[in-house]
Structures are given as C-alpha cells and as structure tokens.
Amino acid sequence: MTEPLISARNIKKYFDVKGGKLKAVDGISFDIYPQETFGLVGESGCGKSTAGRTIVRLYEPTEGELIFNGQNIYNLTPKEMQEVRRNFQMIFQDPYASLNPRMTVEDIVAEPLDIHQTYKNRAERSDRVIELLRLVGLNDEHAMRFPHEFSGGQRQRVGIARSLALNPKFIVCDEPISALDVSIQAQVVNLLKELQDELGLTYMFIAHDLSMVRYISDRVGVMYLGHMMELAESDELYSNPLHPYTKALLSAIPIPDPEIQKNRKRIMLEGDVPSPIDPKEGCRFVDRCHYAIGRCRQETPVFEEKSANHFAACHII
Amino acid sequence: MENVLEVKNLKISFQTFFGEVEAVRGITFSVGKKETLAIVGESGCGKSVTANGIMQLLPMPPAFFKGGEIFFNGENLLKKSEKQMQGIRGNKISMVFQDPMTSLNPTMKIGYQIVEGLMKHNKMSREEARNKSIEMLELVAVPQPEKRINQYPHEFSGGMRQRVMIALAMVCNPQLLIADEPTTALDVTVQAQILELMKGLKEKLGMSIIIITHDLGIVADVSDRVAVMYAGQIVEVGLTDEIFSSTKHPYTRKLLASVPRLDMNKNETLHSIDGTPPDLYVPPKGCSFYDRCTEAMKICKDNMPGFYEHSSTHQSRCWLNHPMAQKANSQEGRKGQ
C-alpha cells in the first residue's frame, strides 16, 4: 500500500476543567492515505471534533505526534507551522457562525490568500476568488455579497471555496452537512466528492450521521469517550462490525424503509454516555456493554488488528 | 376509523414588516384513534407552524389564522376561548418539543413542573400529584424517580430531559400527543431509546400521535400514515407503505433518493434536489415544486394541481397523475426540452 499522507500517533488532548481533567481525546492513532476519505463517527461528546481540531493543530495537543511529509508537525515553530498549514484546511459545521457577517464573500474567500501573500495585485486576487466560486457552483456576482444574503447550502459552499483557496492536500470536514436540510445535504456531499476527484483531495469527514459517513468514506473510525473503538474499511465496518458499541450504534440508525424497519432487531443501549472528566481505568464502554466481563473494568483493551485491516479495542473479540 | 383530530383547509399566515408570509396554505388531514401520523418536510415548510397552530401556541400577532377549521373530537378549536383552550392544552392534547433544554424551566425542580399540570387540570392535591408524577417518571424509565423529582433540569442528560418532557406531556393522559422533532437534538442510540419508549406508551395508553420530523428513517420506524409537506402545503399523504413503495409525488421521490441508506450500494450517486424552496412572501401560482422538479410540464407553472386519489388512503397533489399527463410525457411539453 502507498505511504500514508498523515499518521497520527497516540494523540491526546486534555482540557482543564473544574473538578479534574476532561480527557476529550485520550490516545488515538491512525493513518490517512492520499486521496481517501477517512470518516470519524461517534455520539456527541465522544471527542471527534476535538480530534479533528487537534490534527490541524487548532488545539495544541497534550501528547502525541502527527507525521506529515516525514516530520512531526507538533514540534514546528509557529513560523514553520504557518508554511505547513497551507496543506491543512477545515470546513466547519455551522455555516452561519463560521463566516464573518461583516465581510464580503470575496474577502472571506481571499483571506487565506491575504495571509499567505499568494498574489501580486488585486486583479490576480479577484481572479482567483472567482475561479474558486465557480469551482463550488456559485456565480461571479456572489463575490460582492454578504453572508446573510445566502441560504445555508450556499454558505457552506462559500466555506468550501475558502478552504480550497491555497490548494490544500488535506481537509478536515467537521460535520459539514448536519446544519443543512436533507435535500441540500446531498448537493454538498456530491460537491465534496466531485472536488475530491478533480483536485485529488484527502478528507477527514467527521459526522454523527452514520449512513452519510458510510456513503462518503473509504475507511471509518468509531470513537467513544475519547478512545478509538473500531476502525476498518467502510463496507467491512458496516457489514461486519466487531465491537459491541459499533453493533449497537449501527442497529440504532433508522432505515427509511418500513419493510426492513419492521423486521430489524435493535440492540438497545442502557443509559447515556458517561462523563469524560477523569474517566476510570478500563474499557470506556463497560457500563453500557451487554458482554462486559470482569477484565473490562480493570484494564483498558488494546487497539489492535483483529483481522486484516480491521482494528478494534475489545477484550472479548 | 373514528378521527380524534380533523384539520380542514387550514391557513396560517404571519404579518411581517415586509408583507404577509403564507406559512401554511390550506392543509387538510386527520388523525385516527391510536394512530401515528408523521408529518415530514424540510425546514420552513410549515410543519411546526401547523403543530403550534393546533395547540394555538403561535404568537398572535404576527401570526393569524387566515382560514380553515380544526376539529378535535368534533369541536372546532378555533372557536374556543383562551380559557377553554387552557383546559385542553396539556390535558387533552399535549406537546413534546424539539429541544428539551429550552422547553423545561431551568429554575424549577422537574417535580414541580410535572405536578403543576396535574394540580391544575385534575384538581389533585400536592401529595397525590407527587405520587402520580413519580409513577409517570417510572413509566418513562427515569431511574430513581423519588430522588430525581427533586432535581433541576441541568442535572439531567439530554436523553433523560426528553424523557421528563414526555412524562410531562403524558401525565394527564392526553388523547393526542404532538411531538415536534422529539429526537433531533439527541444521539442515535438515545434516539432509539426514546422512539421505543413512545411506541410502548402508545400501546399502553392508547393515544394518537402526530410526529413531526425530517428524518425518513424515523417515519418508517414509528408511523402508520405519512403526510409530506412542501412550501406550506401537503403534497402527498398515504399509509407509510404506500408512501415508501408506491411514491406518487416527485418531491417525495426525490426526498427518498437524497438520503443515503445503510443498505445502499456505495457507487450509486446520491440524487440532490437542485435549488431551494420557494419564497412564501410571494407563493407561486402553480405547483410550488415547479422550479425544482425535473418532471415539470407546462401546465405546472401557472396552475395549482388538485389532489388525485390513488387509493382510499393515498392522495397526491401533482399534475402527472392527470389522465392527460401520460400523453404529455411521451410527447413534447416538458420543461427545458
């Protein structure tokens, strides 16, 4: 197989809160290969957004390494970091909050260009902006408008245009479609797929909508309370889930077909996700797991390869 | 089947600074006894306005009823005084809102919030009401109800708060429960718990449910009948099986094709619906889906289609069902050709 574009090794991110340490991401490792889409799923509070932000170093990691182009980017100085950061971009969840309402679309999209001084004169700058707007399916005249003049789907297109401004290699999409309506979601997902084919992009796609993640991703990782529970090719993960949590999660998704829905057996989970503040030793899922044994409470299961390219962290598999 | 609720040609508008927004433009539907009706649609299609309209919870002004009737057990709710409505709201018809964080009062213990309704509607003493509340919390599977009843909403997780909301809505044994996106703010595993709970309660207590959602998976899971709304109108209504397996309206078809399914082949493309819903300041004269419809014909632009019956339970509002339309399809007359 080809060399990974990005290798995350044992990344941890803790936040200091009242009453202890909130372990949002607690030692996750994975590789992302060039031009693939790596999906990251989990319930709210499992640390998937923190993981995405730590990877582009919007958050300083507590521990761990991120290898890109043979160097650990967590060791770079701010100046070196700025150079490398051209390659990493991010698309945010809320298209209402992530665009500055007082800037025109042209200035929003050109901001990365301004910061990195990639143009010689104003004409070059606006040419690039228009090129980007066309790429994401907006019109030239949209450049002079303000964000409030756009619908949610169009705003998300502006966010995508901005993320493409510096020809990045890797884009973290943090729930890019969850604030959009169903019919608009498909538009944005199709756009992301087209851009990937055209520009050879690599995505990390963070979402809680498991059917959408399956559709867009080549490989999928499942997170629970700061730990990676399972990671596999997406077809493999969805057809042959190993971890009890993944099984329960998949069975909870409603399928839009009354026939199938009637004959399905659901694995009901009891209770809610526990608090990530100073979690106990042992498997994070133990309190909600139907198969938990004594060992699950004492030692944290190792995240290891259970079958070819199928990783999971569980004692009973 | 006897109907608990009948809505006839209901029209609700909002008077705003820029003019009148016709949020609900003449909808007719009914809910039978022990039936679950799902109302599906995108944001802005008028589904929540319909629900709040039935409960008369809309701020008036700017909202006003432009026409129509709402019959609950044969009585027109729009003719009731506010005082009479207070006797119905929470007692005969109750509602579960989308966001359990903002719909519970954060400064009141949850026990008091449940007891309040019982003391008002059923004239119970505080002691009786408290016991009944504990019973209710037990029914919705809140652990340790005696202890939890003295806690504040912030001490509950999202799923638990939604359970409290359901307990609150069910405590007076309503005949009709309106659930407006009850699980949208929740995670999938918790969503599954809440949907199971609602199905179980419906069996046990024999009430009717209107569930409002945009998630077609939830519709397939819980509903008996479905009404699909678009731009303030119902465009298709039928039994759940009819809607999913013999879809008649292009909008419903597109909506179904635009969601990825767990059992779908990854190489299939996702069908997106181009464009956005029409502006309801100036509602279109013809079919409201005309601009986004790939099967639109000349007639659709300026003429509003009526309802066509496909079976006694299944109707849709689309010109393609007109006997002349098949001829038009095979010949010219299509948009853009």
Side-chain angles (χ1 to χ4, degrees):
Chain A
M1 211 165 176
T2 43
E3 281 290 296
L5 179 76
I6 277 175
S7 297
R9 289 287 164 264
N10 197 26
I11 290 183
K12 292 183 183 174
K13 176 66 194 169
Y14 299 166
F15 295 98
D16 283 320
V17 291
K18 214 169 86 185
K21 278 217 174 340
L22 191 154
K23 301 189 174 179
V25 175
D26 200 9
I28 59 170
S29 306
F30 52 85
D31 294 329
I32 300 179
Y33 296 94
Q35 295 183 33
E36 79 164 347
T37 302
F38 179 79
L40 196 57
V41 292
E43 296 179 271
S44 47
C46 74
K48 54 191 192 302
S49 289
T50 307
R53 289 176 175 217
T54 311
I55 280 165
V56 293
R57 213 177 163 188
L58 283 180
Y59 288 150
E60 279 303 313
T62 309
E63 213 185 297
E65 319 186 314
L66 188 75
I67 315 288
F68 172 76
N69 261 349
Q71 54 181 347
N72 179 4
I73 67 157
Y74 290 155
N75 290 337
L76 299 178
T77 61
K79 202 152 185 203
E80 291 167 322
M81 191 62 215
Q82 195 177 348
E83 270 313 298
V84 177
R85 189 161 271 152
R86 286 171 177 238
N87 296 307
F88 301 132
Q89 289 295 328
M90 193 147 180
I91 300 168
F92 296 93
Q93 171 171 6
D94 187 346
Y96 294 82
S98 59
L99 304 177
N100 188 336
R102 301 170 71 166
M103 283 162 77
T104 60
V105 164
E106 173 161 9
D107 288 337
I108 290 171
V109 174
E111 205 176 7
L113 306 174
D114 297 341
I115 291 168
H116 289 275
Q117 289 299 323
T118 58
Y119 52 86
K120 291 190 199 71
N121 49 44
R122 282 205 80 78
E124 215 172 287
R125 179 180 187 258
S126 62
D127 283 351
R128 176 69 180 147
V129 169
I130 284 171
E131 187 187 336
L132 287 163
L133 290 182
R134 286 186 187 156
L135 195 63
V136 298
L138 294 172
N139 301 328
D140 302 5
E141 67 263 22
H142 286 142
M144 295 322 291
R145 297 206 196 158
F146 287 92
H148 73 266
E149 298 174 69
F150 293 92
S151 67
Q154 286 176 314
R155 279 176 214 225
Q156 205 53 295
R157 285 174 196 263
V158 174
I160 294 171
R162 173 176 62 186
S163 72
L164 295 173
L166 294 166
N167 290 320
K169 292 199 176 70
F170 177 63
I171 299 182
V172 173
C173 313
D174 187 2
E175 306 246 15
I177 51 166
S178 41
L180 306 176
D181 262 319
V182 195
S183 72
I184 312 293
Q185 286 188 352
Q187 290 176 13
V188 173
V189 164
N190 286 342
L191 173 69
L192 286 171
K193 278 200 145 184
E194 280 163 34
L195 291 171
Q196 182 169 41
D197 291 341
E198 215 168 300
L199 308 172
L201 298 168
T202 307
Y203 290 137
M204 177 157 156
F205 192 88
I206 301 171
H208 64 264
D209 180 342
L210 288 106
S211 356
M212 195 55 99
V213 169
R214 172 183 181 264
Y215 177 71
I216 198 172
S217 310
D218 301 302
R219 289 188 310 136
V220 177
V222 181
M223 277 185 79
Y224 186 79
L225 218 60
H227 280 193
M228 192 72 93
M229 291 306 198
E230 188 162 1
L231 195 163
E233 306 242 321
S234 77
D235 287 334
E236 163 78 6
L237 184 88
Y238 283 80
S239 58
N240 181 27
L242 294 177
H243 200 285
Y245 176 61
T246 316
K247 286 182 187 168
L249 198 61
L250 289 177
S251 83
I253 310 167
I255 292 180
D257 187 329
E259 256 339 281
I260 300 176
Q261 196 64 41
K262 249 175 251 160
N263 302 322
R264 266 170 102 206
K265 238 190 107 202
R266 264 190 186 153
I267 307 168
M268 279 306 205
L269 287 182
E270 304 286 320
D272 295 304
V273 183
S275 159
I277 299 171
D278 290 325
K280 279 178 285 190
E281 203 41 38
C283 176
R284 293 287 161 91
F285 185 56
V286 65
D287 290 329
R288 299 173 82 192
C289 186
H290 294 300
Y291 309 97
I293 50 175
R295 194 176 160 207
C296 302
R297 294 194 184 274
Q298 283 134 26
E299 51 179 304
T300 310
V302 188
F303 186 67
E304 58 194 0
E305 197 161 5
K306 300 284 183 186
S307 62
N309 290 321
H310 195 146
F311 298 82
C314 183
H315 287 309
I316 56 160
I317 302 169
Chain B
M1 191 163 32
E2 206 181 321
N3 288 332
V4 175
L5 184 82
E6 277 178 47
V7 174
K8 286 185 182 155
N9 200 24
L10 182 69
K11 292 179 182 166
I12 304 174
S13 289
F14 290 82
Q15 197 65 53
T16 71
F17 186 70
F18 303 102
E20 184 189 329
V21 185
E22 298 181 29
V24 174
R25 303 191 290 149
I27 61 169
T28 300
F29 65 89
S30 61
V31 186
K33 259 201 178 124
K34 296 193 186 179
E35 183 184 51
T36 305
L37 174 79
I39 300 181
V40 215
E42 295 176 77
S43 43
C45 74
K47 50 193 197 307
S48 292
V49 174
T50 306
N52 287 312
I54 294 169
M55 293 288 275
Q56 295 187 30
L57 287 172
L58 293 168
M60 299 196 203
F64 62 96
F65 289 100
K66 211 180 165 189
E69 289 157 318
I70 302 169
F71 289 103
F72 178 68
N73 286 335
E75 292 176 61
N76 190 350
L77 291 185
L78 295 181
K79 295 249 161 70
K80 300 258 180 215
S81 66
E82 173 58 24
K83 187 116 204 196
Q84 287 171 312
M85 268 316 286
Q86 281 178 8
I88 293 171
R89 229 183 262 139
N91 191 18
K92 304 268 176 55
I93 312 177
S94 56
M95 193 155 170
V96 175
F97 298 91
Q98 172 171 359
D99 187 351
M101 190 65 219
T102 49
S103 41
L104 287 169
N105 187 336
T107 65
M108 278 159 69
K109 289 177 181 168
I110 66 115
Y112 184 74
Q113 300 188 45
I114 303 176
V115 167
E116 201 183 14
L118 280 172
M119 283 166 50
K120 189 166 169 59
H121 292 303
N122 295 10
K123 307 274 179 287
M124 280 189 181
S125 71
R126 189 168 289 270
E127 192 54 39
E128 281 173 314
R130 198 186 131 87
N131 290 336
K132 173 84 184 164
S133 305
I134 291 174
E135 213 174 277
M136 217 50 225
L137 286 178
E138 228 163 7
L139 193 65
V140 296
V142 172
Q144 299 176 288
E146 299 86 359
K147 192 181 135 216
R148 300 292 260 175
I149 201 164
N150 288 319
Q151 290 181 333
Y152 289 93
H154 76 266
E155 296 173 83
F156 287 72
S157 68
M160 278 300 152
R161 259 184 234 137
Q162 201 58 297
R163 282 167 197 264
V164 171
M165 275 302 292
I166 292 175
L168 191 75
M170 306 284 298
V171 74
C172 291
N173 241 330
Q175 283 172 281
L176 176 66
L177 179 74
I178 302 177
D180 186 0
E181 306 253 8
T183 58
T184 308
L186 307 175
D187 281 314
V188 272
T189 56
V190 182
Q191 167 175 297
Q193 293 170 0
I194 298 287
L195 293 178
E196 280 307 310
L197 173 71
M198 282 178 60
K199 279 196 271 184
L201 287 178
K202 185 186 134 191
E203 288 302 311
K204 226 181 275 177
L205 307 174
M207 57 177 175
S208 313
I209 298 179
I210 297 179
I211 184 165
I212 292 173
T213 179
H214 62 265
D215 187 332
L216 293 160
I218 295 178
V219 174
D221 190 9
V222 299
S223 70
D224 302 313
R225 279 196 313 130
V226 185
V228 182
M229 278 189 82
Y230 186 78
Q233 290 176 321
I234 290 180
V235 294
E236 185 165 4
V237 57
L239 298 176
T240 307
D241 286 337
E242 290 172 329
I243 295 288
F244 281 89
S245 55
S246 61
T247 319
K248 292 289 188 234
H249 198 282
Y251 175 64
T252 319
R253 227 177 346 250
K254 293 234 166 185
L255 205 59
L256 284 169
S258 67
V259 283
R261 299 161 46 141
L262 273 188
D263 52 346
M264 124 183 197
N265 189 339
K266 261 176 78 177
N267 301 325
E268 286 175 51
T269 40
L270 221 47
H271 294 277
S272 61
I273 311 178
D274 291 332
T276 45
D279 189 352
L280 292 178
Y281 280 111
V282 250
K285 221 162 67 178
C287 172
S288 43
F289 192 54
Y290 173 75
D291 289 336
R292 304 174 79 188
C293 185
T294 46
E295 295 163 67
M297 301 173 292
K298 271 181 190 163
I299 189 172
C300 306
K301 189 166 186 238
D302 295 316
N303 299 282
M304 179 90 73
F307 271 107
Y308 290 91
E309 289 224 350
H310 309 292
S311 75
S312 59
T313 46
H314 189 190
Q315 289 130 33
S316 76
R317 196 187 259 273
C318 178
W319 281 117
L320 285 174
N321 302 308
H322 193 277
M324 296 287 281
Q326 271 142 354
K327 220 158 108 197
N329 270 340
S330 55
Q331 295 167 12
E332 52 183 324
R334 287 251 196 154
K335 185 173 82 169
Q337 277 174 13

